[in-house]
Amino acid sequence: MQQKTIWTLFLLIGISLFVNSCGKHVDYLHTITYVYKNGTSHHLVLEVYDRNGVNFKNFQIAPNEAVETGTTIEEAAVPFKFYNPANYGDSVVIRFSNNRCLSYKRLSNGFGPKIFDYRKYDNYTPGLFEQNKPITYTLYYTITVADYNESVVCP
């Protein structure tokens, strides 16, 4: 009788461990809209290039204006990912109206300098994507006078 009780106890413990270990880990999808603002006194074009160096999207932004480039539905923010065509921006050139340019390239880890790092966006807050629920959010990135001052004569 005691052997049956011990066997039943171990069976219950084993089943409860099995059930708890099969719990689902859910990666929630986040809907992120990207807005780029021109904080300079120069007209600019935001040129998006794919990994083959092909310019496939352009966004013109007047001084002190903004443009929405698109929305992603992902587990984390992915700036310059477009679904039509099914492509993503591998590099971005900011071309100012007086033939000055600023270039950024996505790194192999998916991030990159400034414009490719969603943590550098104006309204990003730590823990934003660690919430255990889906979110809908707009990330803003301002191209500043300091960015213009870093630009060089376009090749």
Side-chain angles (χ1 to χ4, degrees), residues 8-119:
T8 305
L9 180 63
F10 280 109
L11 181 62
L12 289 174
I13 291 171
I15 290 172
S16 67
L17 288 173
F18 178 73
V19 169
N20 288 334
S21 69
C22 292
K24 291 182 180 179
H25 172 74
V26 177
D27 288 324
Y28 291 97
L29 294 179
H30 306 302
T31 305
I32 310 295
T33 300
Y34 303 90
V35 175
Y36 296 89
K37 298 189 269 185
N38 180 356
T40 74
S41 60
H42 302 277
H43 285 273
L44 65 83
V45 177
L46 194 62
E47 300 174 350
V48 184
Y49 293 83
D50 67 12
R51 66 177 170 222
N52 298 317
V54 175
N55 174 219
F56 69 98
K57 288 246 186 215
N58 290 322
F59 301 95
Q60 294 187 24
I61 313 173
N64 301 309
E65 295 292 326
V67 66
E68 181 180 310
T69 61
T71 301
T72 60
I73 302 173
E74 298 287 334
E75 294 171 9
V78 186
F80 304 106
K81 181 171 184 179
F82 303 99
Y83 295 101
N84 190 9
N87 207 343
Y88 68 93
D90 189 58
S91 61
V92 169
V93 173
I94 300 170
R95 189 176 302 272
F96 295 96
S97 58
N98 60 349
N99 200 36
R100 296 192 60 85
C101 291
L102 193 56
S103 300
Y104 298 108
K105 181 153 180 57
R106 187 184 305 274
L107 301 176
S108 60
N109 66 2
F111 287 108
K114 293 185 177 184
I115 207 162
F116 282 110
D117 187 349
Y118 62 83
R119 298 168 297 187

